[in-house]
Amino acid sequence: MTLKQLTYFLKISETGNLTKAAQMLHMSQPPLSYQLKLLEEELGVELFVREAHNMRITTEGSYLVDRANQILALVNKTETEIRQLSSSAEIYINIGTVSSANHYLLPQIVDTFKKRYPKTIFNIYDGNSYRIMELLNNHVIDLGILREPFNRELYDCMKINNTPVLPHDETGDFFVAAGRPVFFPDPSLGEISLKEAVRMPLIVHRRYDELFMHQCEKDNLKPNVICLNDNIITSIEWVLNGVGVGIMPYTSSLLLRNPDIVVQKITPAFYSNLFLVWNSGAKFSKPLMQFIELFNSVS
């Protein structure tokens, strides 16, 4: 398996067509087809199902798409880091982040850092916490911004003090119920009890399901969950469309940006704080260390 073969493979998966892929790669179709055949023979699997005019990716092929992207990103990161050893012309910082941090916190940090190092280039990888941990483990990214819960023993980590949260609760990023006014007993209030919240049609990110259910079980409550999902943006969109009430951290509710949406703190409060994490023992450049320090100073 070569880097060139992985590049070819990704282009075929992107286009779903050998002819189009060959055109985009500025090569003829026969050598492209031959390289794909070599790759499949080496792996011992079919990466695509050949149809009349298209290439339909297999389960094994879908898995390789993700891995190939990570491999090529790591190669690019390595080349960049080696070049930086002999030149300070540009600084590359690779960060994986959950959506809520990319909404307000990370742009604030980046803006401050860019004033000190104008030639910095940021590679941002969005995803849920599991995705960010995978990228860290594979050394594709330098830093990750994760939400609790996660195993802190796996990484060096630093709790992030969320500026928008602090005026409301110094403990951290508390959970809220967010939805259209029609769902709330009293939309004018800033809080809602867990007992009241569980009666509403609830939309819950699967990442928080165990934590939320644990809170309900403590009070012998059975929540009316109508949707479990894998992306906080799904919760946001369903809330905006009036399908139900989203259970989410306060900073995630800031993504709603809609004055018609009611956001109430759930009581008794429970939390999911953000952490900046990196691989234990990682060696960072001076600029990257200063970038980490900004998460304390800016907050």
Side-chain angles (χ1 to χ4, degrees):
M1 183 189 306
T2 66
L3 297 178
K4 184 176 289 186
Q5 286 175 333
L6 292 179
T7 301
Y8 291 168
F9 162 75
L10 287 174
K11 189 58 66 177
I12 297 170
S13 69
E14 177 187 330
T15 60
N17 184 283
L18 275 172
T19 303
K20 290 181 181 178
Q23 289 173 349
M24 295 180 71
L25 291 165
H26 305 290
M27 61 188 298
S28 60
Q29 183 177 326
L32 179 60
S33 180
Y34 177 68
Q35 289 298 325
L36 176 60
K37 180 182 177 182
L38 289 179
L39 182 59
E40 288 181 319
E41 288 177 351
E42 180 180 349
L43 296 175
V45 297
E46 283 192 346
L47 299 173
F48 297 95
V49 176
R50 278 73 168 170
E51 297 178 339
H53 300 288
N54 295 297
M55 306 279 285
R56 180 164 52 86
I57 198 162
T58 63
T59 301
E60 295 84 355
S62 296
Y63 179 83
L64 184 59
V65 166
D66 185 55
R67 289 298 187 188
N69 277 315
Q70 289 189 35
I71 290 168
L72 294 176
L74 181 57
V75 169
N76 182 63
K77 178 173 178 283
T78 303
E79 291 175 347
T80 300
E81 289 173 342
I82 291 174
R83 285 195 295 268
Q84 285 180 341
L85 293 175
S86 59
S87 173
S88 59
E90 292 180 338
I91 299 167
Y92 286 81
I93 296 180
N94 305 283
I95 309 171
T97 177
V98 294
S99 298
S100 54
N102 210 13
H103 167 61
Y104 74 95
L105 175 68
L106 192 54
Q108 180 186 10
I109 302 288
V110 165
D111 182 59
T112 303
F113 190 78
K114 285 282 287 182
K115 291 173 183 175
R116 299 183 187 178
Y117 297 96
K119 294 185 178 180
T120 305
I121 297 173
F122 291 88
N123 292 317
I124 305 299
Y125 296 79
D126 297 290
N128 59 34
S129 292
Y130 298 113
R131 170 68 170 167
I132 304 309
M133 286 187 282
E134 180 185 10
L135 294 172
L136 271 173
N137 296 339
N138 291 329
H139 302 280
V140 174
I141 57 177
D142 305 304
L143 304 169
I145 300 177
L146 305 180
R147 275 199 178 277
E148 294 177 300
F150 66 95
N151 187 351
R152 298 188 201 176
E153 295 182 359
L154 296 176
Y155 310 101
D156 289 335
C157 57
M158 178 180 73
K159 181 182 174 182
I160 297 172
N161 294 319
N162 296 302
T163 306
V165 173
L166 293 178
H168 306 282
D169 192 326
E170 292 185 359
T171 303
D173 204 351
F174 52 88
F175 274 80
V176 300
R180 295 286 176 180
V182 66
F183 293 113
F184 292 82
D186 189 345
S188 65
L189 297 179
E191 296 183 353
I192 187 170
S193 70
L194 182 61
K195 186 176 181 179
E196 291 176 307
V198 296
R199 298 171 185 164
M200 301 185 286
L202 300 178
I203 302 161
V204 183
H205 190 312
R206 197 169 278 107
R207 173 80 174 143
Y208 313 126
D209 182 43
E210 184 177 349
L211 176 62
F212 178 58
M213 292 303 297
H214 176 68
Q215 298 299 316
C216 294
E217 289 169 1
K218 287 197 301 184
D219 293 333
N220 199 28
L221 299 172
K222 186 176 181 180
N224 177 28
V225 177
I226 64 167
C227 171
L228 284 172
N229 61 72
D230 293 316
N231 192 325
I232 194 62
I233 301 303
T234 299
S235 292
I236 296 296
E237 292 299 330
W238 283 42
V239 167
L240 289 173
N241 281 281
V243 179
V245 174
I247 303 298
M248 62 188 71
Y250 172 69
T251 51
S252 294
S253 74
L254 298 177
L255 294 167
L256 287 159
R257 295 183 178 181
N258 189 316
D260 297 327
I261 297 297
V262 174
V263 177
Q264 294 184 346
K265 180 179 181 179
I266 299 173
T267 58
F270 55 105
Y271 305 85
S272 177
N273 288 305
L274 287 171
F275 282 80
L276 183 68
V277 303
W278 56 92
N279 289 314
S280 298
K283 295 181 179 180
F284 293 147
S285 64
K286 182 179 178 181
L288 189 52
M289 289 300 299
Q290 291 183 353
F291 182 77
I292 293 173
E293 291 169 5
L294 274 178
F295 278 84
N296 272 331
S297 61
V298 172
S299 294

